[in-house]
Amino acid sequence: MFTSRKKGDLRDVLRTTLPLVLAMGAHAINQFTDRVFLARYSDDAIQASLPGGILSWLFICLLVATASYSGTFVAQFHGAGSKRDAAAAYGQGLWLALAALPLILLSIPLGNALFTLAGHAPAILADEKAYYGILQVGGVFCVFQAVLAGYFAGQNKTRLVGVATCVGSLSNVLLDWMFIFGHGGCGRWGIVGAGWATALAAAVPCLILGAATFFEPALRGRRRYLAALRPRPDLLRRIVRYGLPSGLHQFLDVATFTVFVMATGRLDALSLAVSNIVFTVNYISFAPLLGLGQGTIVLVGQYQGANDVDASIRATKSALALGGAYVVLFAVVVFLFSVPIMDAFRGPETAFEAASFHTLGRTLMWIMLSWAFFDAVSLIVGGALKGAGDTKFVMFALLAISLGLWMPVVFLVLRFAPSITFLWLTMPFYCGVCATTCIVRFARGRWKRLRLVDDLVTR
């Protein structure tokens, strides 16, 4: 694969996906730092951070994934050689992002009601609601960033996306340090400060990428920009038709995971805190794989737009090789440094006893590693299916697996064996079934016949 010079080979995939992988890795480090700061601030803050963050993303991800699917159309138009239609797909994505604003704001009271139903301790409940409400404000920027990033990534300009995301992540770390602990003349705001740091930092990539669009040849000048923003009902409907199942897939994935996280909140304080910590560590594995998946969507979208199925297959296999290598490296690091990683989250005033804290953390990390490879397969092969337009299958398959298999097992564990270890052991089962389903669908090859833009290209 290193010596090949064909489209979709390892060099081709690295060139496109590496900036996205680094960007998502920077975002993961940002999340890790955020959780470390909160853990050192108070035990309540770290317990509230994951439920607040995951519920926020639950309501935002549907809108983000739907609007960002305009980037897949950008990629397919780019592969078909139509820059004007690629700019129009970006313009329709902006209209979808604008329509998402009132929905995000309306989700704030709904989320607060769900936290009340979860029945967490009063102190944690107050932190969860405060953190969640502020994150929803920042979610407005997340939708626009997804559309902007999709436009540049769809044209293989992933370096710019990577730089903008990394700058935003670094801004978040700095603002966390200032707002959580009261440095730089700020107040000591704890989890509220973490929320505002995330919300403000989300605007940074939007500003960078938004400014860059004015230098794009297809958007340069007022006349071209307005032409891209002109409503195209046929194209908008097509983006929603394929993007909404992709968004619902994300929503269902996060929704079931949110139920899982809320279920851990009904166990003891140590289980909830350690579970949230190890999920934070897991995101360091998951985020770069998410970047690989995003890159696979872009490449398969471009190759399908150019009617080059063989390149789509090579790109998927190359991305899988990179994903497998990364998972092995991550497993080695966790094996060697599990205790120092857990100690990074131990605040000076923590009430958790060190031996039980380390023992449970090490157990959950080993369970986490058991599903990491399945995550890689699901994100990359599922990304290939999405890039080709096979989004409805991905959505319905996840619906059947998560609601028909995983959630019933979770509730059985809560009813008959309420243990954090048993609860976590349901995750490898769920991820393994998802990965196998994606592989079988990809191997059957129905996605090869899908064409999203052939009849939409303007001449």
Side-chain angles (χ1 to χ4, degrees):
M1 283 190 289
F2 279 106
T3 58
S4 173
R5 290 295 185 274
K6 296 180 179 179
K7 289 183 178 180
D9 64 10
L10 199 60
R11 293 171 184 265
D12 195 16
V13 172
L14 274 173
R15 183 170 54 249
T16 299
T17 63
L18 187 57
L20 298 176
V21 169
L22 294 176
M24 294 307 300
H27 189 262
I29 293 171
N30 163 47
Q31 291 290 314
F32 183 86
T33 306
D34 182 84
R35 300 295 192 267
V36 168
F37 286 168
L38 288 174
R40 291 183 171 273
Y41 181 80
S42 75
D43 289 343
D44 286 350
I46 186 59
Q47 291 179 66
S49 61
L50 186 60
I54 197 67
L55 188 63
S56 170
W57 183 240
L58 170 65
F59 289 116
I60 294 171
C61 71
L62 171 62
L63 304 171
V64 166
T66 302
S68 69
Y69 204 75
S70 61
T72 303
F73 277 78
V74 171
Q76 294 222 5
F77 280 127
H78 180 77
S82 179
K83 293 184 178 180
R84 182 171 59 180
D85 289 312
Y90 159 69
Q92 308 315 299
L94 288 181
W95 286 115
L96 288 173
L98 193 62
L101 301 187
L103 299 177
I104 292 176
L105 298 179
L106 287 172
S107 69
I108 295 177
L110 177 58
N112 288 336
L114 291 176
F115 279 123
T116 301
L117 289 174
H120 294 174
I124 296 174
L125 179 62
D127 281 348
E128 286 172 338
K129 288 184 176 181
Y131 188 53
Y132 164 79
I134 298 167
L135 291 181
Q136 291 307 89
V137 175
V140 171
F141 299 112
C142 292
V143 184
F144 280 98
Q145 179 190 343
V147 174
L148 288 160
Y151 176 65
F152 289 105
Q155 301 176 82
N156 275 341
K157 298 178 181 179
T158 53
R159 290 184 183 180
L160 177 60
V161 176
V163 169
T165 306
C166 287
V167 172
S169 295
L170 291 174
S171 302
N172 200 347
V173 171
L174 176 62
L175 292 174
D176 272 336
W177 178 75
M178 294 169 61
F179 292 173
I180 293 174
F181 299 113
H183 297 301
C186 300
R188 185 178 167 86
W189 297 330
I191 196 169
V192 171
W196 281 117
T198 301
L200 293 174
V204 174
C206 289
L207 294 174
I208 295 173
L209 295 174
T213 60
F214 291 99
F215 299 96
E216 280 290 295
L219 297 171
R220 190 177 299 157
R222 179 172 174 270
R223 182 178 177 182
R224 289 181 179 175
Y225 217 111
L226 290 176
L229 292 175
R230 185 179 301 119
R232 279 185 55 177
D234 56 342
L235 178 54
L236 183 61
R237 283 194 299 268
R238 190 74 61 88
I239 293 173
V240 173
R241 175 184 169 188
Y242 289 95
L244 187 58
S246 178
L248 288 171
H249 161 244
Q250 290 263 8
F251 178 82
L252 289 168
D253 193 21
V254 179
T256 50
F257 183 68
T258 302
V259 172
F260 182 87
V261 170
M262 293 296 183
T264 64
R266 291 184 172 271
L267 302 176
D268 57 278
L270 176 65
S271 295
L272 176 59
V274 174
S275 179
N276 289 356
I277 288 168
V278 180
F279 270 129
T280 301
V281 176
N282 175 67
Y283 191 63
I284 296 179
S285 164
F286 182 80
L289 295 174
L290 189 59
L292 263 177
Q294 292 171 348
T296 306
I297 292 174
V298 170
L299 287 171
V300 172
Q302 290 178 353
Y303 297 143
Q304 290 300 103
N307 293 325
D308 193 342
V309 173
D310 290 339
S312 295
I313 296 172
R314 278 194 299 271
T316 306
K317 291 181 178 179
S318 299
L320 280 172
L322 290 172
Y326 174 76
V327 169
V328 171
L329 177 62
F330 179 76
V332 171
V333 171
V334 169
F335 176 77
L336 295 175
F337 302 105
S338 61
V339 173
I341 290 171
M342 291 300 298
D343 281 338
F345 291 90
R346 276 181 60 80
E349 300 178 0
T350 182
F352 301 131
E353 194 267 328
S356 56
F357 182 80
H358 288 146
T359 300
L360 182 57
R362 188 162 46 247
T363 300
L364 297 190
M365 282 190 185
W366 280 113
I367 298 174
M368 171 193 72
L369 292 176
S370 71
W371 77 65
F373 179 74
F374 295 138
D375 266 348
V377 173
S378 295
L379 288 169
I380 293 168
V381 180
L385 294 173
K386 289 182 180 181
D390 199 8
T391 56
K392 289 183 179 179
F393 171 81
V394 176
M395 179 192 70
F396 285 118
L398 179 71
L399 179 66
I401 296 167
S402 59
L403 299 184
L405 291 177
W406 186 37
M407 285 294 99
V409 173
V410 168
F411 288 122
L412 285 173
V413 170
L414 284 175
R415 176 68 176 85
F416 297 105
S419 158
I420 189 64
T421 302
F422 288 143
L423 203 59
W424 268 57
L425 284 172
T426 66
M427 286 286 288
F429 162 73
Y430 166 65
C431 295
V433 175
C434 287
T436 302
T437 302
C438 288
I439 289 175
V440 171
R441 180 68 173 187
F442 186 83
R444 293 185 67 179
R446 292 186 179 181
W447 58 273
K448 298 177 184 179
R449 299 189 294 271
L450 293 175
R451 295 290 182 270
L452 302 185
V453 303
D454 283 356
D455 60 325
L456 294 175
V457 175
T458 57
R459 302 297 179 186

